[in-house]
Amino acid sequence: MNGVTISFDKSRTYINIQLDPSLFDADIDISSIRAELERGETSGLYVSEKSLKSACDTANHYFKTGDSTIVRERIGERKNAEVEFRIPEDNMSANLVLTAPYGGKLPSMGAIMSLAMKSKIVKGISTKRIKTLLIRAKHATSGEILEDTIAKGLPPRNGKNSKFIPLVPNALERILKPQTQVGERVDMRNLGEVICVKVDTPVLKRTAPTKGRTGFDIKGNKLPSVPGEWLDFKMGSGTVVSDSDSNLLVSSISGMPKYRDQIMNIDDTFICTGVNVGSGHVNYEGAVLVNGDVTEKMQIKASGDVTINGFVESALIESGGDIIITEGAMGKVNDNDGEYHCKLIAAGSIHVQHGQGVEVQCKGDVTVGRQLAYSRLRCGGAVIVGQLDNPMGNLFACDIISQGRVEAGTLGAVSGSTLKIDFSPGFNLLLERKDGLDELLKQIRENNSKHKEKIDLLKSKKVPKELKQKMTDALELFNNETALLEWIEGKASEVKGAKESYQSDVKLIANKRLYPGVTAKLNNRNWRSEREYNRSQIRYDAHQWHYDPIV
């Protein structure tokens, strides 16, 4: 280009341009100068667009006015990489920001470490991350900005409170874990002895709280941890603190242990070899252990767990805890009024090895060892037929209301007998709670908003001395109302989460086969199997039932 000279200074660091208007054939085009700068030794160096445009505009003006004054301008330079550290207010991390060089040099590892020290970054530095960033910058385009976290602090870990460790298992836990011997298959009948502890047997252990772990920030400041606390025993019935060890709970009576909600109870236990016409009905304030069968039309009512190491036939069993039947339960069904002669009613969970013609009511889970048929279930948890780790039992011809998943090896039967599963009642209960909380929340929010306006108005005015106490009382009431509002908002959020979890948790799982005649219901959304399926899962999502094969 005539009249345009691009050169370096003596140190070959800065780029200079000289424009001689007297040699121009026409106005200088800035884009053509940029193209020239992108070739040769000036390629990749920093060019100031502002300086280049100013020089070109001035030279073009001189050219138009016939002025032959030569324009000289420094328009660029060779720049080394720029280094910057970004540290948040909590000083728990540091980011290294590298701007790739314009033909200049990259900093060395030592230089970056020195700059980090000047920025008071002394702990938690990752040299590996710094090296990786330098390699990336080496291959980056000029002026590209690269950023990565190169130092992290260690947050303190607060200590844990003392824990409670049961030293004896609940009867249901023991039943659901059959005893095995090395090299042999599991024998479902070999369930081990149901534990009844004697006086002074250790039943619950308290562990010491931990101190926690001290942390640090990237500037080397120590962040202290909060040590855990000693928790007191929640004393249940039939237990006392050991005289020799304050961290040990021992039984004060002989009976059956039951650990729930961090409370160990020893239920006074009634033990018999069977319940029949000869023994009479059993009505006991405690746990009941029957080492035999319960015959037709007999009744057992207990405030604690009921464990039957035998068979139950057309009997009534009521328990304030769990019901455990190690063999089976069977009863007749009156076809006219649908009454079941064998009834199991529990405040906890129910386990039976196999059942037929049984009415089951419980607040917990229903677990069945092998098979359940021609029965009616109302439970507040899941229904699992088979071993817990791999349910492969059979479930068919039942009417079930459940608040958890229903899982078995086979759901339904080849004959197409109806298996009805309804998840609606538990869901509707959650909806009622949610609607009630939402309505209450709306009302309290409106009241709180009105009260806030009045409180703000009062704060803006001068309150007479004789009314200051009333003003203080009003502020306290307002603060209490605000705290109540926050608490209810938290509860409403919990119920909303429980509603969403409920819909994702309810499902049918067939680990072997699912036959025709199986129905699932959640309010007005129904699903029915019209054919035979292999291993499959029926789940509820987006207000619809979905079938998924299990691969």
Side-chain angles (χ1 to χ4, degrees):
M1 289 178 289
N2 294 333
V4 178
T5 305
I6 298 172
S7 62
F8 281 101
D9 68 340
K10 290 182 180 179
S11 66
R12 303 196 67 76
T13 300
Y14 298 100
I15 305 171
N16 298 320
I17 191 170
Q18 178 176 300
L19 302 173
D20 187 351
S22 62
L23 301 177
F24 289 179
D25 298 324
D27 285 357
I28 289 296
D29 182 10
I30 193 169
S31 60
S32 60
I33 295 179
R34 281 201 208 98
E36 184 67 28
L37 288 168
E38 289 172 3
R39 293 193 291 267
E41 197 175 349
T42 56
S43 175
L45 303 190
Y46 174 74
V47 175
S48 169
E49 290 290 329
K50 183 178 179 181
S51 299
L52 179 60
K53 185 176 185 302
S54 174
C56 290
D57 288 347
T58 302
N60 285 333
H61 174 72
Y62 289 165
F63 172 69
K64 289 175 182 176
T65 57
D67 192 335
S68 60
T69 303
I70 296 174
V71 178
R72 294 182 178 87
E73 187 77 41
R74 177 171 289 173
I75 60 168
E77 63 181 301
R78 194 186 304 276
K79 275 188 174 183
N80 293 332
E82 293 181 3
V83 178
E84 179 188 353
F85 294 101
R86 292 180 182 169
I87 304 172
E89 289 184 7
D90 61 4
N91 294 328
M92 290 305 291
S93 64
N95 280 20
L96 171 61
V97 183
L98 269 180
T99 304
Y102 290 89
K105 297 177 180 179
L106 278 169
S108 64
M109 172 64 76
I112 288 181
M113 293 297 287
S114 177
L115 291 169
M117 291 286 285
K118 287 181 181 178
S119 298
K120 298 183 179 179
I121 302 171
V122 296
K123 292 211 73 175
I125 300 173
S126 169
T127 55
K128 184 178 178 181
R129 283 177 173 264
I130 296 174
K131 286 176 183 176
T132 302
L133 202 61
L134 288 173
I135 292 170
R136 285 173 57 197
K138 190 175 181 181
H139 299 93
T141 56
S142 299
E144 184 179 347
I145 297 174
L146 307 171
E147 182 175 359
D148 196 6
T149 303
I150 53 95
K152 289 182 181 179
L154 181 69
R157 184 165 59 207
N158 292 337
K160 295 181 180 179
N161 296 336
S162 50
K163 290 182 180 179
F164 298 101
I165 302 172
L167 303 177
V168 287
N170 291 340
L172 183 59
E173 293 171 1
R174 189 170 180 85
I175 294 298
L176 293 177
K177 293 180 181 178
Q179 307 300 307
T180 60
Q181 294 181 1
V182 178
E184 293 185 6
R185 295 179 63 187
V186 172
D187 182 358
M188 292 299 292
R189 291 170 297 179
N190 179 19
L191 296 169
E193 295 178 1
V194 176
I195 294 177
C196 281
V197 297
K198 297 179 181 179
V199 177
D200 289 335
T201 301
V203 292
L204 188 65
K205 179 182 178 182
R206 178 175 63 179
T207 63
T210 60
K211 294 181 179 179
R213 180 195 65 198
T214 302
F216 58 82
D217 63 20
I218 58 166
K219 295 188 176 181
N221 300 313
K222 285 188 177 181
L223 305 176
S225 62
V226 179
E229 298 179 355
W230 280 100
L231 298 181
D232 294 330
F233 282 112
K234 295 179 181 178
M235 300 301 294
S237 60
T239 59
V240 292
V241 178
S242 171
D243 294 333
S244 59
D245 187 350
S246 61
N247 293 320
L248 200 62
L249 212 61
V250 298
S251 58
S252 59
I253 61 171
S254 295
M256 189 178 294
K258 183 63 178 287
Y259 183 67
R260 179 181 290 171
D261 300 328
Q262 294 190 332
I263 301 174
M264 177 65 78
N265 290 294
I266 307 298
D267 292 332
D268 191 15
T269 307
F270 175 80
I271 303 175
C272 62
T273 56
V275 178
N276 47 49
V277 176
S279 67
H281 300 314
V282 176
N283 193 333
Y284 195 71
E285 193 67 27
V288 172
L289 172 58
V290 181
N291 288 315
D293 299 333
V294 180
T295 60
E296 190 173 359
K297 296 184 179 179
M298 300 310 298
Q299 296 181 5
I300 298 177
K301 296 183 179 180
S303 62
D305 292 353
V306 174
T307 304
I308 300 166
N309 287 319
F311 190 83
V312 176
E313 182 181 357
S314 296
L316 170 65
I317 314 291
E318 288 188 17
S319 167
D322 301 329
I323 294 176
I324 303 152
I325 303 171
T326 61
E327 292 190 16
M330 183 176 290
K332 300 172 185 176
V333 182
N334 191 326
D335 293 333
N336 295 328
D337 56 10
E339 183 182 355
Y340 288 77
H341 291 181
C342 186
K343 296 182 179 180
L344 309 177
I345 303 169
S349 298
I350 293 178
H351 172 81
V352 59
Q353 192 64 9
H354 58 84
Q356 183 169 318
V358 184
E359 180 172 346
V360 175
Q361 297 177 33
C362 69
K363 293 182 180 178
D365 298 333
V366 174
T367 55
V368 182
R370 293 175 184 161
Q371 178 172 292
L372 184 64
Y374 303 103
S375 299
R376 182 165 61 202
L377 281 69
R378 306 288 183 269
C379 69
V383 178
I384 302 170
V385 186
Q387 294 184 51
L388 289 184
D389 56 348
N390 186 25
M392 298 299 283
N394 303 318
L395 178 63
F396 60 93
C398 291
D399 184 353
I400 299 173
I401 292 178
S402 174
Q403 294 184 30
R405 77 183 192 279
V406 175
E407 183 173 4
T410 302
L411 293 177
V414 179
S415 62
S417 56
T418 304
L419 173 61
K420 295 180 181 178
I421 301 160
D422 190 356
F423 298 105
S424 306
F427 186 66
N428 291 334
L429 189 63
L430 280 173
L431 285 180
E432 287 177 17
R433 289 181 60 195
K434 182 178 180 299
D435 292 342
L437 278 171
D438 287 347
E439 185 64 32
L440 179 62
L441 193 58
K442 179 182 176 184
Q443 187 63 47
I444 293 179
R445 273 179 180 158
E446 290 176 357
N447 293 341
N448 188 255
S449 179
K450 292 176 184 176
H451 295 159
K452 187 177 185 302
E453 290 177 6
K454 292 179 180 178
I455 289 290
D456 290 342
L457 181 63
L458 287 171
K459 284 181 176 179
S460 66
K461 296 183 180 295
K462 187 175 182 180
V463 180
K465 188 176 181 181
E466 60 272 15
L467 295 178
K468 281 190 175 180
Q469 183 58 45
K470 289 188 176 180
M471 180 66 177
T472 303
D473 294 342
L475 279 171
E476 186 178 354
L477 287 171
F478 175 72
N479 291 334
N480 291 339
E481 183 187 55
T482 303
L484 175 64
L485 175 62
E486 291 175 356
W487 184 82
I488 293 176
E489 283 176 339
K491 288 295 177 184
S493 178
E494 286 178 16
V495 173
K496 183 182 177 183
K499 176 194 164 192
E500 294 170 355
S501 297
Y502 188 97
Q503 294 178 84
S504 61
D505 290 343
V506 295
K507 60 186 69 173
L508 310 184
I509 301 175
N511 292 316
K512 284 198 294 188
R513 200 167 298 278
L514 190 150
Y515 287 104
V518 178
T519 61
K521 180 182 179 184
L522 184 58
N523 287 343
N524 60 346
R525 300 294 181 181
N526 296 278
W527 183 88
R528 180 181 175 86
S529 62
E530 300 294 346
R531 63 181 180 87
E532 187 177 317
Y533 298 91
N534 287 324
R535 300 179 64 197
S536 54
Q537 171 181 275
I538 312 302
R539 59 182 177 85
Y540 190 83
D541 183 42
H543 307 289
Q544 294 290 339
W545 287 103
H546 302 271
Y547 160 80
D548 295 322
I550 298 176
V551 180

